[in-house]
RNA sequence: GCCCAGGUGGCGGAACUGGUAGACGCGCAGGCUUCAGGUGUCUGUGGGGGCAACCCCGUGGAAGUUCGAGUCUUCUCCUGGGCACCA
C-alpha cells in the first residue's frame, strides 16, 4: 500500500505488475513450478474464504475482540507500524508518537499453546534452531499465582511468579502501568498519572521496553506478605512489568533477580537473601551488587529453611493452596494474535457494527465483502473509514442502519493457509478434502530464517484452527523446513551526492570506480541484503540475457550453502560460465573418442581407467547424498572434481574411451537438476534421442565404493609427521610398526621412550612420547 | 535487554559422529598457445623460516577437557536474524 502510494498508483495495479515481473523472471530461470495452480491472495476469489474462516473461528471461540495498544501518529491521524516509529517519532510526520487503545480482533493462538509446543519435537525435518526459537517464543513456565492482601483495600493483588520459593525474600510488589490498580490509583494521584503517561510513551515493542531505564513509582499502597502477618511491602507501578505477561503484577525478590536488585538499589528497598549457595552454609551469605540466581538451600525462610529450591517451591505452593492465598499455575509468554489493521489493502473483516446488536457477522449470503476500488488512499487515517458510502449498511439482525468494520486483516492471515489452497486452487470450497488429504502436509517448505517464529507459528496455529472448524484433519502444515539465506551484494555510494548507486551504473577505469551517470567517484561499501532502497541489486534478467539461465543457476547453487547468505559477485558468474563451456567441449570434443551410446563395458580396464571408473561411482554416491541434504555447493564441487579427473584420462589406456563416455554421461545426468537446459542438449550430443529428464537417477555399483588401501595420518604427540598407506582394516600391530618405521617419525621420536601408541583403525595413529 | 545463529586463506566456502585444516571455485602470480588482447591450457598459491629434507605458527579472543580440538566445556568480543503492526 505504501509502495503504491509512493509510485502514485493503485495497490491492485502495483501488485499485479509486480506479480507479472516476478512470474516472468521465475519462468526465465526455468524453475519447474506448476503454473496452473498459481493464485493471488489479494484476489477476492482467494480472500473470500478467509472471511468464512474468520466467522467459523468466531463461532468456535477462536476469534474475539479486545482493547489493545497501537502507535498513534497525532499529525497524520494514523496507526503506525513498529518499523514506522523511529526514535519514538512518526517516520513521515516526525511527530512524537502516542500510544492509543483501540478495539481490535484477536485470534486465540494461546488456545493451542500446549499443543504447538508439544508437537515441536516431532518436526524432525525442521532445523533445530527454529524449533528452539518457537519453544522460547511460546515460553511455557510453571509457577504460581500468589494473592497479596492490600492494606486498607477490599481487593487483593494477584501476582504470577516462577520463583515462589523466594517469597520470604520479597521486599516489593510492582504492577504494570496499565494494570487496573495503577489506573484506579492514578485517578486521585496526578503524579502517578504523569508517571503512567510517561510509561505509555515508550514504544509498543518488547525491545523498547526492555532496554529502557527501569523506573518505578511508589503508590503508597502496602501489600501483606502471605506468610508473615506483620510484614507489609510497598506496591510500585513499574515500566518493566508487562500487562500482557502473567497477571501484569509481580513480587520482587532483589537478592535473587538482577533486575529486582537494581530496582531495590534505586529505590532503597531491602535485600533479603533466601537461597544460599551450597558451599556457603546457612549464615553469613550476603548479596552485594550481583543477584544470586543459582542452586542452593533456603535460608531466612521460616518453614522452608534448609530445603532445596525445588522442594521449597512445592511446599510453598501447597501452603498457598491450603490457605487460599494462591495456586500453582502454568503461564505462557505467547500472546494472542491481533489481526486488525487500519489499512486499505487487505481482506475486509466481515463484521457489521450495529448500535443495538453490537458486532454482527456478515451473513454468509453477503460474502465476500470486497474492497471498494475508489478509496482515497492519501487521506489521513483509515481509507475504508473515510470512504463516503462503503461502510454504510444495514444490520443483518435488526435491519437498522449500521456500519461495516473498516479494518482489514493482517496479511499474515493470507500467508497462513495459501500452501493448503495450492492443493485445490480452483475448488469452490476453501480446501478440497481429498486434495488436502493427498498433498498435505507440505513435504518441503522453504523460507527465510526471519520467518522462524511469526509466520511459521501462525501457520501452525491456523491449521489447528481450521481442523477444529472441520476443514481438515491435518494440524501440522510443514513436515520439512529449510531456512534459506538472503542474497547480498556490495553497496556503492556516489562520493559527491552521497546517494546509492546501482551496480549497473558503475564504471571501472584503472582501478577507479565512477558513477557513469554523474561521473563522480564511487566508494564501495560492505555487502548487505539486496534491497531497492540501497540499490545494491542485480537484475536477474540481465544475467540471464548475458550468460543464460543455467549459468545463473549453477552459480547460485555452487557458491554458498542454501541456508547461508549468498554474496552475489560477478566474478563468480564468470567461473560458472567457464565451467559450462568446459562441459560442452568435454562432450562435443572429447579428449578420448567416445564409443557409441550404450556400448558394453570393455573386458579389461587399465588400472588408471579403473580408478576413474571407481571415482565415477563414488561421485554418484556423494552427489546423491549431498542433494538429499541440500548441500548443493558440495555436490557441484564433487562434480567438478570428477571433471578434473576425466581430463587426466589417457586415450591409450585400456578402456579409457568407455570410461570417458561413462564420466561424461554421469556428469550430464548429475548436473541435470541444476542446469536442465544444457544438460538436455548435452544428452542429445551424447547420442540419445529421449529426454534426460525422463531418465532415472544414475545407478551406483556398490562394489566400487570401497577402497582396498587407506592413507592414515601418523602423529607424534598430536602433531602430523607423515602418512602411511595400509590395507583397509589392517591390524593394530602392523599399523603401529608401519607408523614407527616412518623415517620422519623415527627421527622425531629419537631415543626417547615411546609411552604409548594410539591406533584408530583406518583413521589415525598417534605416537605418544 | 531477551531469544537464535554465524565468525576458518585475499574472497565464497570444505572438513560426516573429536582424528592429515583449507576440498571445489573465485582471485592472484608465472609458463605455454596467440601478431596482440581475450579464450584455452599447465604450474604455483594460509603465514613465516630453510638450497633441501623438513621445521615453527595458524580456524574471532582467553582459559579448560583430551593421546589428539575448527569440532566438546566455560567466559568473552564482533556480525546477522527475530522480539508480536515490515511481511
Amino acid at each position: 500500500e505504501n509502495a503504491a502510494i509512493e509510485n502514485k498508483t493503485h495497490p491492485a495495479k502495483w501488485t499485479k505488475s509486480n506479480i507479472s515481473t516476478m512470474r516472468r523472471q521465475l519462468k526465465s530461470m526455468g524453475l519447474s513450478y506448476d503454473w496452473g495452480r498459481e493464485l493471488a491472495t489479494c484476489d477476492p476469489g482467494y480472500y473470500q474464504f478467509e472471511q468464512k474462516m474468520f466467522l467459523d473461528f468466531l463461532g468456535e471461540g477462536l476469534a474475539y475482540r479486545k482493547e489493545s495498544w497501537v502507535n498513534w501518529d497525532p499529525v497524520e491521524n494514523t496507526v503506525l507500524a513498529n518499523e514506522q516509529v523511529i526514535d519514538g517519532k512518526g517516520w513521515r510526520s516526525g511527530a512524537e508518537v502516542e500510544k492509543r487503545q483501540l478495539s481490535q480482533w484477536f485470534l486465540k493462538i494461546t488456545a493451542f499453546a500446549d499443543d504447538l509446543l508439544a508437537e515441536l519435537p516431532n518436526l524432525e525435518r525442521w532445523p533445530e534452531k527454529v524449533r528452539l526459537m518457537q519453544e522460547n517464543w511460546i515460553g511455557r513456565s510453571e509457577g504460581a499465582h500468589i494473592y497479596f492482601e492490600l492494606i486498607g483495600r477490599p481487593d487483593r493483588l494477584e501476582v504470577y511468579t516462577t520463583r515462589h520459593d523466594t517469597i520470604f525474600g520479597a521486599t516489593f510488589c510492582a504492577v504494570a502501568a496499565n494494570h487496573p490498580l495503577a489506573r484506579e490509583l492514578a485517578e486521585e494521584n496526578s503524579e502517578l498519572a504523569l508517571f503512567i503517561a510517561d510509561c505509555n510513551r515508550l514504544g509498543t515493542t518488547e525491545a523498547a521496553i526492555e532496554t529502557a531505564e527501569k523506573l518505578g513509582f511508589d503508590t503508597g499502597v502496602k501489600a501483606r506478605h502471605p506468610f508473615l502477618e506483620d510484614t507489609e511491602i510497598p506496591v510500585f507501578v513499574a515500566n518493566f512489568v508487562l500487562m500482557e505477561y502473567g497477571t501484569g503484577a509481580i513480587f520482587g525478590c532483589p537478592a535473587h533477580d538482577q533486575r529486582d536488585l537494581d530496582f531495590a538499589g534505586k529505590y532503597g528497598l531491602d535485600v533479603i537473601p533466601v537461597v544460599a549457595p551450597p558451599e556457603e552454609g546457612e549464615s553469613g551469605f550476603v548479596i552485594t551488587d550481583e543477584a544470586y540466581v543459582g542452586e542452593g538451600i533456603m535460608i531466612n525462610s521460616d518453614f522452608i529453611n534448609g530445603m532445596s529450591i525445588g522442594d521449597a517451591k512445592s511446599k510453598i505452593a501447597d501452603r498457598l493452596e491450603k490457605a487460599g492465598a494462591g495456586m500453582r499455575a502454568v503461564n505462557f509468554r505467547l500472546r494472542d494474535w491481533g489481526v486488525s489493521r487500519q489499512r486499505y489493502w487487505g481482506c475486509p473483516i466481515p463484521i457489521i457494527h450495529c448500535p443495538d446488536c453490537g458486532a454482527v457477522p456478515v451473513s454468509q449470503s453477503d460474502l465476500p465483502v470486497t474492497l471498494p476500488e475508489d478509496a482515497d488512499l492519501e487521506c489521513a487515517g483509515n481509507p475504508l473509514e473515510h470512504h463516503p458510502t462503503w461502510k454504510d449498511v444495514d444490520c443483518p439482525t435488526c435491519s437498522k442502519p449500521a456500519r461495516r468494520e473498516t479494518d482489514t486483516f493482517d496479511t499474515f492471515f493470507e500467508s497462513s493457509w495459501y500452501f493448503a489452497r495450492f492443493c485445490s486452487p480452483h475448488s469452490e470450497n476453501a480446501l478440497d478434502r481429498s486434495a488436502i488429504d493427498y498433498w498435505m502436509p507440505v513435504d518441503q517448505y522453504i523460507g527465510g530464517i526471519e520467518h522462524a517464529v511469526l509466520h511459521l507459528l501462525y501457520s501452525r496455529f491456523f491449521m489447528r484452527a481450521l481442523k477444529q472448524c472441520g476443514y481438515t484433519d491435518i494440524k501440522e502444515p510443514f513436515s520439512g523446513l529449510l531456512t534459506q539465506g538472503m542474497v547480498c551484494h556490495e553497496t556503492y555510494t556516489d562520493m559527491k551526492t552521497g546517494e546509492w548507486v546501482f551496480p549497473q551504473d558503475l564504471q571501472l577505469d584503472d582501478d577507479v570506480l565512477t558513477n557513469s551517470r554523474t561521473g563522480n567517484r564511487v566508494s564501495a561499501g560492505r555487502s548487505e541484503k539486496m534491497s531497492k532502497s540501497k540499490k545494491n541489486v542485480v537484475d536477474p534478467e540481465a544475467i540471464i540475457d548475458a550468460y543464460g539461465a543455467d549459468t545463473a543457476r549453477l552459480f547460485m547453487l555452487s557458491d554458498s550453502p542454501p541456508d547461508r547468505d549468498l554474496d552475489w559477485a560477478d566474478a563468480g558468474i564468470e567461473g560458472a560460465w567457464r565451467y559450462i563451456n568446459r562441459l560442452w567441449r568435454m562432450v562435443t570434443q572429447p579428449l578420448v573418442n567416445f564409443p557409441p551410446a550404450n556400448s558394453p563395458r570393455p573386458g579389461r580396464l587399465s588400472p588408471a581407467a579403473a580408478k576413474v571408473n571407481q571415482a565415477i561411482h563414488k561421485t554418484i554416491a556423494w552427489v546423491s547424498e549431498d542433494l538429499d541434504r541440500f548441500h548443493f555447493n558440495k555436490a557441484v564441487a564433487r562434480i567438478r572434481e570428477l571433471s578434473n579427473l576425466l581430463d587426466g584420462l589417457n586415450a591409450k589406456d585400456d578402456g579409457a574411451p568407455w570410461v570417458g563416455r561413462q564420466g561424461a554421461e554421469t556428469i550430464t545426468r548429475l548436473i541435470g537438476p541444476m542446469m536442465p537446459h544444457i544438460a538436455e542438449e548435452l544428452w542429445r550430443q551424447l547420442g540419445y534421442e529421449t529426454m534426460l529428464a525422463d531418465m532415472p537417477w544414475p545407478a551406483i555399483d556398490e562394489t566400487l565404493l570401497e577402497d582396498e588401501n587407506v592413507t592414515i595420518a601418523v602423529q607424534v604427540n598430536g602433531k602430523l609427521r607423515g602418512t602411511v598407506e595400509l590395507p583397509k582394516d589392517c591390524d593394530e600391530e602392523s599399523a603401529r610398526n608401519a607408523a614407527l618405521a616412518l623415517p620422519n617419525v623415527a627421527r622425531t621420536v629419537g631415543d626417547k621412550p615411546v609411552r604409548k601408541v594410539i591406533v584408530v583403525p583406518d583413521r589415525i595413529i598417534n605416537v605418544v612420547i
Side-chain angles (χ1 to χ4, degrees):
Chain A
E1 186 170 331
N2 285 329
I5 294 170
E6 218 166 276
N7 286 279
K8 305 218 179 305
T9 178
H10 193 274
K13 236 178 156 178
W14 179 248
T15 304
K16 284 184 180 137
S17 101
N18 279 314
I19 290 173
S20 301
T21 304
M22 293 178 85
R23 189 195 297 112
R24 193 178 65 241
Q25 292 177 342
L26 293 172
K27 284 185 174 176
S28 68
M29 289 294 287
L31 300 176
S32 308
Y33 287 113
D34 180 356
W35 292 101
R37 292 174 187 266
E38 183 184 355
L39 56 86
T41 60
C42 59
D43 189 338
Y46 179 83
Y47 71 63
Q48 59 174 340
F49 299 116
E50 298 182 353
Q51 297 178 340
K52 169 88 168 53
M53 286 169 182
F54 178 74
L55 297 180
D56 289 337
F57 293 167
L58 208 54
E60 285 289 315
L62 292 173
Y64 66 98
R65 202 163 162 75
K66 75 168 179 190
E67 294 277 306
S68 88
W69 293 92
V70 293
N71 304 306
W72 183 259
D73 186 319
V75 170
E76 298 204 328
N77 283 312
T78 56
V79 174
L80 296 179
N82 285 332
E83 74 156 7
Q84 296 170 334
V85 180
I86 294 153
D87 295 331
K89 299 191 171 66
W91 66 338
R92 292 226 178 87
S93 69
E96 196 80 30
V97 170
E98 298 167 3
K99 278 212 289 190
R100 270 205 184 182
Q101 273 199 312
L102 285 186
S103 188
Q104 309 206 64
W105 292 100
F106 282 80
L107 298 188
K108 209 163 187 175
I109 189 170
T110 53
F112 298 96
D114 265 318
D115 192 53
L116 287 167
L117 182 66
E119 290 297 321
L120 280 175
N122 299 330
L123 297 173
E124 287 164 16
R125 292 194 297 116
W126 279 43
E128 182 61 35
K129 59 179 172 180
V130 175
R131 289 186 282 165
L132 239 183
M133 281 189 260
Q134 293 211 352
E135 184 183 329
N136 292 333
W137 184 265
I138 295 168
R140 184 182 193 274
S141 67
E142 290 182 1
H145 283 166
I146 301 177
Y147 317 133
F148 286 84
E149 263 179 60
L150 296 174
I151 312 291
R153 287 178 59 99
D155 55 344
R156 53 190 193 176
L157 183 64
E158 195 169 331
V159 151
Y160 174 77
T161 180
T162 56
R163 290 301 304 271
H164 36 299
D165 54 305
T166 64
I167 185 69
F168 287 100
T171 56
F172 71 96
C173 283
V175 301
N178 298 306
H179 191 279
L181 177 66
R183 293 209 184 185
E184 188 200 314
L185 295 171
E187 282 172 21
E188 285 168 17
N189 184 337
S190 55
E191 260 186 90
L192 176 56
L194 277 175
F195 179 76
I196 291 173
D198 266 345
C199 292
N200 283 337
R201 249 186 283 284
L202 264 174
T204 54
T205 70
E206 195 184 308
I209 293 163
E210 291 286 329
T211 49
E213 189 192 354
K214 311 286 181 279
L215 295 174
F217 184 96
D218 190 346
T219 62
V221 173
K222 304 281 184 205
R224 191 184 307 284
H225 191 283
F227 298 113
L228 301 169
E229 191 63 23
D230 299 331
T231 303
E232 296 178 0
I233 58 180
V235 178
F236 281 76
V237 174
N239 65 353
F240 58 85
V241 180
L242 305 173
M243 195 57 223
E244 291 79 16
Y245 184 82
T247 59
I250 60 159
F251 81 73
C253 176
H256 304 291
D257 181 284
Q258 192 60 44
R259 191 184 57 189
D260 292 351
L261 184 62
D262 297 342
F263 191 80
K266 188 180 270 176
Y267 295 101
L269 301 165
D270 290 342
V271 179
I272 307 170
V274 289
V275 180
E279 66 277 7
E280 282 282 339
E282 300 211 0
S283 59
F285 179 55
V286 280
I287 299 285
T288 50
D289 55 357
E290 205 173 310
Y292 179 69
V293 295
E295 282 295 326
I297 44 164
M298 306 308 303
I299 55 170
N300 301 328
S301 292
D302 201 304
F303 57 89
I304 51 171
N305 276 335
M307 288 187 185
S308 69
I309 289 175
D311 291 346
K313 277 184 181 170
S314 69
K315 185 76 183 170
I316 292 287
D318 287 344
R319 291 282 286 260
L320 286 171
E321 285 173 355
K322 210 167 160 191
M327 58 190 288
R328 288 179 170 82
V330 168
N331 189 52
F332 292 92
R333 203 186 78 98
L334 183 67
R335 307 200 300 259
D336 280 335
W337 172 16
V339 292
S340 296
R341 296 292 181 274
Q342 297 68 41
R343 285 174 227 288
Y344 165 76
W345 191 236
C347 170
I349 300 177
I351 293 288
I352 292 167
H353 297 283
C354 171
D356 293 338
C357 313
V360 182
V362 172
S363 328
Q364 296 282 346
S365 58
D366 291 337
L367 293 180
V369 178
T370 54
L371 286 175
E373 284 172 25
D374 57 349
D376 176 12
L377 298 181
E378 303 202 49
C379 72
N382 183 346
L384 290 180
E385 200 179 339
H386 290 86
H387 189 276
T389 55
W390 185 80
K391 64 175 187 252
D392 300 322
V393 284
D394 293 336
C395 170
T397 311
C398 70
S399 301
K400 282 192 207 145
R403 196 178 67 81
R404 273 193 201 288
E405 168 72 61
T406 55
D407 285 355
T408 50
F409 285 130
D410 174 10
T411 51
F412 270 129
F413 208 106
E414 277 81 55
S415 58
S416 291
W417 70 286
Y418 74 100
F419 43 86
R421 180 68 182 166
F422 279 140
C423 301
S424 52
H426 311 298
S427 171
E428 286 182 11
N429 300 314
L431 305 173
D432 179 289
R433 283 300 277 261
S434 61
I436 286 278
D437 288 347
Y438 178 78
W439 291 106
M440 289 290 288
V442 177
D443 297 298
Q444 185 60 52
Y445 198 59
I446 302 168
I449 186 66
E450 70 272 20
H451 295 302
V453 174
L454 292 180
H455 163 59
L456 290 168
L457 197 58
Y458 288 148
S459 299
R460 294 183 64 220
F461 154 72
F462 216 87
M463 286 307 282
R464 284 164 169 79
L466 290 176
K467 179 168 181 276
Q468 186 172 324
C469 295
Y471 282 78
T472 166
D473 293 321
I474 289 156
K475 66 177 183 181
E476 283 297 344
F478 315 119
S479 42
L481 174 68
L482 171 75
T483 53
Q484 63 184 353
M486 294 173 296
V487 183
C488 300
H489 196 281
E490 251 185 348
T491 48
Y492 306 100
T493 326
D494 186 306
M495 290 168 83
K496 267 215 181 104
T497 65
E499 287 169 349
W500 300 108
V501 183
F502 282 112
Q504 71 216 37
D505 293 335
L506 294 178
Q507 209 171 322
L508 183 67
D509 306 299
D510 301 327
D511 284 350
V512 176
L513 265 184
T514 53
N515 181 349
S516 61
R517 287 174 184 272
T518 62
N520 299 332
R521 292 209 30 192
V522 167
S523 71
R526 53 182 294 174
S527 182
E528 289 183 68
K529 172 184 170 179
M530 278 193 190
S531 74
K532 283 185 195 155
S533 60
K534 292 195 173 152
K535 299 193 174 174
N536 60 336
V537 290
V538 288
D539 178 6
E541 285 170 289
I543 305 277
I544 291 168
D545 283 349
Y547 298 99
D550 284 340
T551 305
R553 291 170 65 127
L554 181 68
F555 167 61
M556 287 191 276
L557 292 173
S558 61
D559 229 40
S560 284
D563 53 351
R564 275 214 224 176
D565 290 350
L566 167 72
D567 199 45
W568 190 281
D570 290 346
I573 281 281
E574 289 284 345
W577 170 243
R578 280 205 290 271
Y579 182 66
I580 287 197
N581 284 303
R582 190 176 153 201
L583 266 189
W584 185 253
R585 284 192 304 272
M586 186 180 84
V587 169
T588 57
Q589 305 153 37
L591 298 170
V592 293
N593 284 320
F594 292 163
N598 296 316
S599 297
R601 184 185 194 274
R604 205 189 101 80
L605 298 182
S606 74
K611 207 159 185 179
V612 174
N613 192 43
Q614 187 187 19
I616 290 171
H617 287 266
K618 282 185 174 175
T619 304
I620 299 172
W622 281 324
V623 170
S624 306
E625 198 187 313
D626 287 337
L627 292 186
D628 282 344
R629 294 184 182 182
F630 306 113
H631 294 171
F632 306 123
N633 56 330
K634 283 159 66 184
V636 172
R638 295 296 193 188
I639 294 171
R640 294 183 94 128
E641 267 178 296
L642 182 57
S643 309
N644 293 345
L645 209 56
L646 287 172
D647 277 352
L649 267 181
N650 187 338
K652 287 180 198 146
D653 276 5
D654 284 337
W658 182 82
V659 170
R661 171 176 264 281
Q662 292 300 307
E665 286 190 10
T666 301
I667 288 173
T668 301
R669 293 169 73 181
L670 295 180
I671 208 92
M674 308 183 205
M675 307 194 294
H677 312 94
I678 194 154
E680 290 294 345
E681 211 50 60
L682 290 169
W683 193 239
R684 182 60 62 98
Q685 290 287 328
L686 282 162
Y688 294 98
E689 298 289 324
T690 54
M691 282 195 74
L692 173 63
D694 294 327
M695 286 291 291
W697 193 242
I700 302 168
D701 183 346
E702 301 278 346
T703 61
L704 293 177
L705 297 184
E706 294 284 315
D707 286 302
E708 283 175 14
N709 291 325
V710 278
T711 305
I712 299 175
V714 180
Q715 301 177 333
V716 177
N717 285 348
K719 285 197 176 191
L720 183 70
R721 296 297 170 198
T723 58
V724 281
E725 172 114 352
L726 291 170
K728 210 171 158 60
D729 301 321
C730 159
D731 65 283
E732 277 196 28
E733 186 61 26
S734 356
R736 182 194 159 101
N737 292 339
L740 290 169
L742 280 178
N744 206 30
V745 171
R747 190 178 47 244
T748 312
V749 172
D751 46 14
K752 291 179 214 95
V754 172
R755 288 201 287 149
K756 63 176 160 176
V757 180
I758 288 156
V759 179
V760 183
D762 299 339
R763 283 235 137 138
I764 204 159
I765 299 163
N766 191 8
V767 179
V768 186
I769 54 173

